[in-house]
Amino acid sequence: MNNDFCQKFIFEDADVRGELVRLNTSYQEVISKASYPPPVKKLLGELMCASVLLSATLKFDGSLTIHARSNGAIPLLMAECRSHQLVRATAHIDEKSLQSPELANNHDLQALLQDGKLAIHIQPKNGKQYQGVIPLEHSSLSACLEDYFTHSEQSPTKLIFTSEGDYTSGLLIQAQHTSQHAATHQESGKSQSRWDHLTQLIQNAHPSEILALPIERLLTRTFPSESMRIFDKKAISFDCTCTRERTLSALSAMDRSELKSLLEKKSVIVVDCQFCSTRYKFANTDISHLVSEQTHDPSNRPH
Ligand SMILES: [Zn+2]
């Protein structure tokens, strides 16, 4: 049974929408790929939940990626959600730094992603792509995202992430109307106080309830006396877009001299997909033409 889903809800008497996401199978798929230490597992879960919640909120056909790059213990962390809730995620880690006493059980985002950059990238099937840089000014991913949506996107947002074992979950509420949209000052003040009230209430949601309680009960307990409409669940699955062709194109983006020395040393080049671990093997003769043909692509994006 697929336990992975997201589910939208709206408050009938407030211009606020919400979304719950729960991941198990897809999360397991991601965290079982390497022996990630607990802070990395937790962050991967949060990033996966965030990618689902944000793509559900932004409603578009295409892909949404959240990635973090840093000079610290986690050089790369990324999660992607594509149309029909297809997700994948990966992390590159510096195991030695993560074992250090300062980081072994440290969940502080700024400590784990030293000098890091967090960004959100949206690639619609049709239309222009969008990239937003999320300042890494808080110790948790939820606080960084809340700040970004509230201040840069003028969509006041409140987020709670929680993980336990192979389960990870996220609960989001987002104001649909800001003071700029309100017709009168009075209306704006009323929306603000409703929003403040709901953000107070969401803090009471217990992590274990966000992870497992049926959504009706979770929302009734978290927002008592609020009238809400809950929409149908949408199933989420792990899915990778890697192919032999894309892997070959990633190889062709490698530095020419690096590729040349690799070909001199090995008769077969083996590339494992960092998301799904599918193994692609290329005989030396399959790719030797790349050394003479290739043009260097500095972006060298993960395939
Ligand atoms: Zn793959």
Side-chain angles (χ1 to χ4, degrees):
M1 201 183 97
N2 190 351
N3 294 319
D4 301 25
F5 67 89
C6 61
Q7 204 161 4
K8 176 186 168 181
F9 54 91
I10 54 170
F11 293 83
E12 302 276 22
D13 308 318
D15 246 341
V16 175
R17 57 160 290 160
E19 192 89 29
L20 171 73
V21 58
R22 283 184 184 148
L23 305 176
N24 171 222
T25 313
S26 57
Y27 181 46
Q28 224 168 10
E29 187 89 31
V30 168
I31 58 175
S32 64
K33 292 286 178 272
S35 53
Y36 295 124
V40 179
K41 277 189 191 167
K42 181 175 167 269
L43 265 181
L44 274 168
E46 293 188 351
L47 218 61
M48 286 176 79
C49 287
S51 72
V52 173
L53 292 172
L54 300 181
S55 57
T57 313
L58 297 167
K59 271 194 246 156
F60 66 97
D61 198 13
S63 72
L64 180 144
T65 312
I66 306 177
H67 51 88
R69 287 175 203 278
S70 85
N71 297 324
I74 310 177
L76 174 80
L77 196 65
M78 72 178 275
E80 175 190 81
C81 179
R82 307 198 311 281
S83 308
H84 310 295
Q85 298 80 240
L86 301 174
V87 293
R88 61 178 191 165
T90 191
H92 295 179
I93 59 169
D94 176 353
E95 265 176 76
K96 227 171 147 191
S97 318
L98 284 164
Q99 281 163 2
S100 70
E102 307 86 68
L103 292 182
N105 242 321
N106 194 337
H107 291 271
D108 185 295
L109 194 66
Q110 286 169 319
L112 293 165
L113 299 170
Q114 233 180 3
D115 305 321
K117 280 202 174 83
L118 204 57
I120 178 167
H121 181 253
I122 296 169
Q123 178 72 65
K125 261 192 188 136
N126 305 305
K128 269 179 52 188
Q129 54 174 311
Y130 163 87
Q131 172 128 335
V133 175
I134 304 167
L136 234 168
E137 289 170 348
H138 301 277
S139 60
S140 69
L141 179 68
S142 56
C144 293
L145 290 172
E146 283 170 5
D147 212 1
Y148 173 75
F149 278 92
T150 305
H151 297 113
S152 305
E153 301 292 309
Q154 271 85 46
S155 303
T157 301
K158 198 79 200 156
L159 270 161
I160 299 183
F161 295 120
T162 176
S163 307
E164 202 183 310
D166 293 340
Y167 292 84
T168 185
S169 188
L171 181 64
L172 165 146
I173 56 170
Q174 191 166 62
Q176 302 294 287
H177 272 126
T178 63
S179 51
Q180 290 161 327
H181 295 104
T184 64
H185 191 62
Q186 195 185 9
E187 195 185 313
S188 157
K190 200 178 149 212
S191 304
Q192 183 63 43
S193 67
R194 288 285 287 132
W195 171 249
D196 292 343
H197 177 62
L198 296 175
T199 57
Q200 288 285 319
L201 293 177
I202 199 174
Q203 320 273 10
N204 301 332
H206 194 272
S208 64
E209 296 183 345
I210 300 176
L211 276 170
L213 208 63
I215 188 168
E216 292 79 8
R217 283 185 56 205
L218 169 70
L219 296 179
T220 314
R221 283 172 66 92
T222 310
F223 307 104
S225 71
E226 290 291 338
S227 153
M228 272 175 281
R229 181 142 54 101
I230 301 170
F231 293 76
D232 289 342
K233 280 182 183 176
K234 284 183 181 171
I236 297 170
S237 356
F238 177 88
D239 186 66
C240 191
T241 49
C242 68
T243 59
R244 191 174 165 82
E245 290 66 39
R246 284 192 179 137
T247 310
L248 192 61
S249 127
L251 274 177
S252 71
M254 265 176 76
D255 181 73
R256 187 183 296 226
S257 55
E258 216 177 295
L259 188 61
K260 204 174 166 193
S261 82
L262 200 63
L263 287 171
E264 279 162 7
K265 278 185 240 152
K266 294 185 172 171
S267 58
V268 176
I269 308 285
V270 178
V271 182
D272 290 335
C273 171
Q274 57 182 317
F275 294 97
C276 69
S277 304
T278 299
R279 179 155 283 192
Y280 296 97
K281 289 184 182 172
F282 300 94
N284 193 311
T285 46
D286 286 347
I287 51 174
S288 52
H289 67 280
L290 293 177
V291 178
S292 44
E293 276 176 12
Q294 69 154 347
T295 48
H296 181 60
D297 173 5
S299 67
N300 198 8
R301 279 170 54 83
H303 48 282

